[in-house]
Amino acid sequence: MIVKAGLWVKVMTEVPRILLLGGTEEAVRLNHLLSERAELSVVTSLAGRTSAPTALNGEVITGGFGGQEGLETFLTEKSVDYIIDATHPFASQITNSAFMACQKLGINYLRLDRPPWPEKQDDIWIKARNVEEAADKHETYSRIFLSIGRQELTAFQQLSNKQFLVRSIEAVAFNPPASTVRFIQARGPFSLAAELELFKEYQIEVLVSKNSGGDATYAKIAAARELGLPVIMIERPEGPNCTTFQDVDGLFQAFLLGRNTCT
Ligand code: NAP
């Protein structure tokens, strides 16, 4: 590295070193695209939340870096030239760490941010700014489909006398007082027909969802619309102030052209 105007500015190594932050299907695609290029050195990083993640090529590390400081140490020791952030739109901690570390160390940062789902005609969306606000909006419903992953279910733990349907990829512990809970362990994509069947079978009155965007889990939103049911829709956390890419191909092309969207 060299010091320039008080900033650490990286000198590009001959083989560009990339840290790909994963945890999404888009990250899997990027891992495959990047690993086809012999001229690149790619490390893919996962948080380690999923016991059987989709197969990835090349070096894969798991378990986090120890906050922004730990990430900075990793980036420096490994002489990383690029972070490609393909984490989930709600994974704001790792995104903020990565963005801040890149800014500080003068490393290129490219972020994938799939567009949120738009509210369509006949959708009945009750918007919530976060999961706690979503949990506060339940008084009038007793049969609730929680499809928000497993990490933030604790916000719903204090709701009593409800009937929950909880769907997540991994098994989860969730036992609100005087409530019944049915668990479904499944990974998308889900079809509209299957989602309609599920809503009917469990006589769902309201769906709780994050506005994750993408096709894999959209059928539940379409099913709620078709059945005239409300959706408590949790809005996205704000991301870093920089240009993002909506799809894998756009990001990959920008990367090949050497673009850095967040300096
Ligand atoms: P988060 O709140 O942003 O991150 C929490 C901590 O987990 C981070 O501070 C970091 O630990 C570690 N971490 C997260 N993603 C990582 C990655 N790709 N590589 C290494 N460490 C990572 O993230 P989250 O919401 O818990 O999500 C965890 C993972 O699941 C992410 O990779 C995300 O893409 C995926 N995911 C999340 C959601 C969701 O709704 N949040 C949905 C689907 C998939 P250190 O601080 O120790 O580095």
Side-chain angles (χ1 to χ4, degrees), residues 140-176:
T140 53
Y141 306 107
S142 38
R143 302 183 72 92
I144 302 162
F145 180 8
L146 285 180
S147 176
I148 55 169
R150 69 187 166 127
Q151 289 182 73
E152 286 159 304
L153 286 173
T154 40
F156 294 85
Q157 184 69 46
Q158 86 285 1
L159 299 179
S160 55
N161 297 302
K162 303 284 185 189
Q163 296 190 55
F164 290 101
L165 174 64
V166 175
R167 182 166 67 194
S168 56
I169 295 176
E170 297 289 319
V172 58
F174 180 63
N175 52 354

Side-chain angles (χ1 to χ4, degrees), residues 27-199:
V28 174
R29 269 198 65 209
L30 279 163
N31 166 278
H32 293 170
L33 284 170
L34 291 163
S35 63
E36 280 167 11
R37 303 263 172 166
E39 72 275 21
L40 303 175
S41 162
V42 184
V43 174
T44 305
S45 170
L46 300 175
R49 306 271 193 276
T50 313
S51 53
T54 312
L56 294 165
N57 297 333
E59 187 181 349
V60 179
I61 56 172
T62 305
F65 301 93
Q68 185 188 327
E69 209 177 310
L71 178 59
E72 285 171 17
T73 304
F74 177 90
L75 296 171
T76 307
E77 282 176 359
K78 302 285 179 190
S79 301
V80 170
D81 301 303
Y82 284 87
I83 284 189
I84 297 183
D85 180 354
T87 59
H88 190 270
F90 279 77
S92 55
Q93 268 187 51
I94 187 69
T95 286
N96 286 331
S97 278
F99 175 68
M100 298 298 287
C102 284
Q103 293 271 295
K104 191 164 160 191
L105 300 173
I107 291 172
N108 299 289
Y109 175 85
L110 292 96
R111 180 174 179 229
L112 190 81
D113 193 24
R114 60 171 98 120
W117 296 313
E119 188 171 2
K120 295 190 177 171
Q121 199 180 355
D122 298 332
D123 275 332
I124 307 167
W125 285 10
I126 302 161
K127 291 184 186 158
R129 277 172 300 175
N130 50 48
V131 75
E132 289 76 22
E133 204 173 287
D136 283 343
K137 293 182 185 280
H138 275 90
E139 287 85 58
T140 53
Y141 306 107
S142 38
R143 302 183 72 92
I144 302 162
F145 180 8
L146 285 180
S147 176
I148 55 169
R150 69 187 166 127
Q151 289 182 73
E152 286 159 304
L153 286 173
T154 40
F156 294 85
Q157 184 69 46
Q158 86 285 1
L159 299 179
S160 55
N161 297 302
K162 303 284 185 189
Q163 296 190 55
F164 290 101
L165 174 64
V166 175
R167 182 166 67 194
S168 56
I169 295 176
E170 297 289 319
V172 58
F174 180 63
N175 52 354
S179 296
T180 55
V181 187
R182 303 288 299 272
F183 295 100
I184 296 180
Q185 240 179 290
R187 189 198 293 259
F190 304 103
S191 72
L192 178 59
E195 296 293 52
L196 284 167
E197 196 56 41
L198 196 69
F199 275 75

